[in-house]
């Protein structure tokens, strides 16, 4: 329970507040229970103020929002705050007892590589004897429980509940993906981040952020959170940042906490030498301030070497011996939907990958080229109601790096799928590719996968990109079951039976 004075302290409000006490916080009127604080957020599709009546009927004790005029006109005590979602997160964590302050929290942000990097870090910490929870795109791993992920980074009230649940386990470390949406919306307010890591920044989500400057500013907020923890005193665990210095935006991130920043990549403090790419693994010599170690990872591709370096830098910064770091990197056998092979006795390779940006697609195709000396056939699409600017860029990448391209639907959502396909075709045609020779357009994703696999010859590689681990497809407002791996396996069984 938080009293009026508690709320004022947590939110650092200077004005007077109504006499209220709250037992929970939610921005979903359907979750309101007696004594709850209902947070009225103006979202993209609805305004929470329209649901104050429903919240009152469910027993809400007060409303928090950003409309000054509501203080007198609201049927419930109204608390004004300039950023309701930030306030909701802060209060939710306070109600939970601020669990992150007793834990070591590692946040990973970047356009690509977050999921693989969090899995690598988790393995390193586990081998070092530190039970570690993992919150991200593939779900929320609480050690003794698995929770399905609705978002890469949950909303503030849900994150507070996850941290509270994690604090009741033996884990004292949490590694989590931190999305740009979550940072822009202040969903991670109230979390004490000890470590912040930056993987890369390439075009994505510009439907939301509008331009790369806004996208960058959102990502930088994670490092500002780490700076706050550093200034307050890191407590029992080290506090630092980790930056991929091969990325064009590296200097922006390194500058936030320059006195405690570990750089990785070419000429970084943590780097890889003698990299050897193989069909089912990657080997390199790991160079760090804590020693040198020959290392092997089961993840394929140069981009996964960078992910491994990021994880190694975090492990080293947290005091894990280099031998344990290398063992942890090798202990991760695979990441669902990340360059995941589908095998059914065929004479060519089939790989499913989550690549859904031009940079991610380039990484996946380059990894494919490193393990295939015959043709690469690429099946991919772009999501609807999302950043349209990356569509021709993704088409251009496949034109450059694939031998045969099948353009298909991803999650078209409410957008005309054929309009999306035309946007992708622009990139292929500008690159001089000819329709029905170098590429084909097949709107049905199932038919596209079956077509590509039917065209493959011994020694070829079929890369099915865009959805990776996802087990659904969004058509209009409908969400249907669809798994690229299942579809690929069915197609393979058809041609091998």
């Amino acid at each position: 329970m938080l009293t009026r004075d508690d709320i004022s302290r947590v939110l650092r409000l200077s004005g007077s507040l109504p006499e209220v006490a709250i037992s929970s916080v939610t921005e979903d009127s359907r979750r309101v229970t007696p004594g709850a604080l209902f947070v009225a957020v103006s979202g993209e599709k609805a305004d929470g103020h329209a649901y104050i009546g429903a919240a009152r009927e469910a027993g809400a004790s007060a409303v928090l929002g950003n409309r000054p005029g509501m203080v007198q006109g609201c049927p419930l005590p109204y608390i004004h705050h300039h950023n309701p979602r930030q306030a909701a997160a802060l209060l939710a964590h306070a109600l939970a007892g601020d669990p992150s302050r007793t834990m070591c929290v590692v946040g990973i942000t970047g356009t690509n590589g977050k999921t693989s990097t969090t899995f690598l870090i988790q393995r390193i910490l586990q081998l070092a004897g530190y039970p570690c929870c993992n919150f991200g795109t593939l779900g929320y791993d609480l050690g003794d429980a698995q929770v399905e992920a609705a978002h890469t980074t949950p909303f503030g009230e849900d994150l507070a509940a996850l941290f509270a649940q994690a604090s009741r386990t033996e884990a004292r470390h949490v590694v989590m993906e931190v999305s740009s949406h979550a940072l822009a919306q202040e969903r991670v307010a109230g979390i004490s981040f000890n470590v912040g890591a930056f993987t890369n920044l390439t075009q994505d989500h510009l439907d939301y952020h509008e331009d790369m400057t806004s996208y960058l500013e959102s990502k930088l907020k994670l490092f500002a959170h780490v700076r706050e923890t550093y200034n307050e005193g890191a407590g029992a665990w080290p506090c630092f940042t980790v930056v991929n210095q091969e990325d064009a935006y590296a200097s922006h991130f390194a500058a936030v906490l320059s006195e405690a920043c570990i750089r990785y990549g070419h000429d970084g403090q943590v780097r890889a030498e003698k990299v050897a790419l193989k069909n089912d693994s990657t080997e390199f010599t790991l160079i760090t301030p804590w020693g040198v170690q020959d290392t092997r990872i089961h993840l394929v591709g140069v981009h996964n070497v960078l992910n491994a370096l990021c994880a190694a830098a975090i492990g080293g910064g947290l005091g894990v011996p280099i031998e344990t770091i290398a063992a942890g990197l090798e202990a991760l056998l695979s990441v669902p939907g990340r360059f995941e092979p589908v095998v059914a006795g065929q004479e060519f390779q089939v790989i499913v990958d989550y690549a859904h940006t031009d940079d991610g697609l380039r990484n996946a195709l380059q990894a494919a080229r490193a393990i295939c000396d015959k043709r690469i056939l690429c099946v991919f699409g772009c999501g609807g109601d999302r950043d349209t600017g990356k569509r021709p860029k993704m088409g251009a990448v496949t034109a450059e790096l694939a031998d045969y391209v099948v353009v298909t639907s991803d999650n078209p959502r409410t957008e005309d799928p054929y309009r999306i396909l035309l946007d992708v075709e622009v990139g292929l045609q500008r690159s001089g590719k000819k329709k029905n020779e170098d590429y084909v357009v097949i709107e049905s994703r199932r038919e596209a996968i079956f077509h590509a696999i039917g065209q493959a010859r011994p020694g070829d590689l079929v890369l099915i990109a865009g959805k990776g681990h996802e087990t659904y497809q969004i058509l209009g407002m409908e969400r249907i079951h669809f798994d690229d791996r299942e579809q690929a396996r069915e197609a393979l069984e058809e041609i091998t039976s």
Side-chain angles (χ1 to χ4, degrees), residues 320-398:
V320 178
I322 190 168
E323 297 82 5
T324 307
I325 291 172
L329 294 175
E330 186 171 2
L332 181 65
L333 300 181
S334 65
V335 180
R338 274 45 175 191
F339 216 76
E340 183 177 350
V342 180
V343 180
Q346 76 273 15
E347 295 182 296
F348 52 87
Q349 298 182 73
V350 176
I351 303 291
V352 171
D353 192 80
Y354 189 52
H356 58 280
T357 67
D358 56 307
D359 182 64
L361 195 52
R362 178 176 295 278
N363 288 337
L365 285 166
Q366 288 177 337
R369 180 59 67 195
I371 62 173
C372 175
D373 55 9
K374 296 292 182 66
R375 296 187 310 157
I376 294 178
L377 298 80
C378 181
V379 181
F380 85 104
C382 295
D385 301 333
R386 297 292 185 269
D387 183 358
T388 60
K390 69 180 182 181
R391 294 172 185 172
K393 293 182 178 181
M394 291 177 70
V397 168
T398 59

Side-chain angles (χ1 to χ4, degrees), residues 180-350:
S180 58
H181 287 74
L183 288 161
Q185 296 171 7
E186 298 285 359
R187 294 184 210 164
V188 296
I191 298 175
S192 179
F193 285 98
N194 294 79
V195 182
F198 165 66
T199 60
N200 50 60
L201 193 70
T202 61
Q203 182 175 332
D204 198 15
H205 306 306
L206 295 194
D207 55 297
Y208 179 83
H209 296 290
E210 297 185 354
D211 55 46
M212 288 298 291
T213 299
S214 297
Y215 187 29
L216 169 64
E217 289 173 351
S218 294
K219 294 289 191 185
L220 284 167
K221 287 184 177 182
L222 172 62
F223 279 44
H225 282 292
V226 178
R227 176 94 222 183
E228 289 176 10
T229 305
Y230 183 86
N231 289 341
E232 291 173 0
W237 291 282
C239 189
F240 57 94
T241 61
V242 171
V243 173
N244 173 14
Q245 74 165 24
E246 294 186 13
D247 190 86
Y249 294 92
S251 61
H252 296 273
F253 291 86
V256 177
L257 193 60
S258 58
E259 60 268 49
C261 178
I262 302 171
R263 295 171 179 257
Y264 70 93
H266 182 66
D267 289 336
Q269 296 149 281
V270 178
R271 59 189 184 276
E273 296 183 357
K274 300 177 183 178
V275 177
L277 303 176
K278 300 187 176 182
N279 283 3
D280 60 352
S281 63
T282 306
E283 296 178 358
F284 56 92
T285 301
L286 177 62
I287 313 292
T288 78
W290 315 285
V292 176
Q293 185 74 32
D294 289 336
T295 305
R296 178 175 183 259
I297 59 174
H298 294 281
L299 308 182
V300 177
V302 173
H303 63 292
N304 276 315
V305 174
L306 282 170
N307 293 336
L309 292 179
C310 182
I314 292 168
L318 291 174
V320 178
I322 190 168
E323 297 82 5
T324 307
I325 291 172
L329 294 175
E330 186 171 2
L332 181 65
L333 300 181
S334 65
V335 180
R338 274 45 175 191
F339 216 76
E340 183 177 350
V342 180
V343 180
Q346 76 273 15
E347 295 182 296
F348 52 87
Q349 298 182 73
V350 176

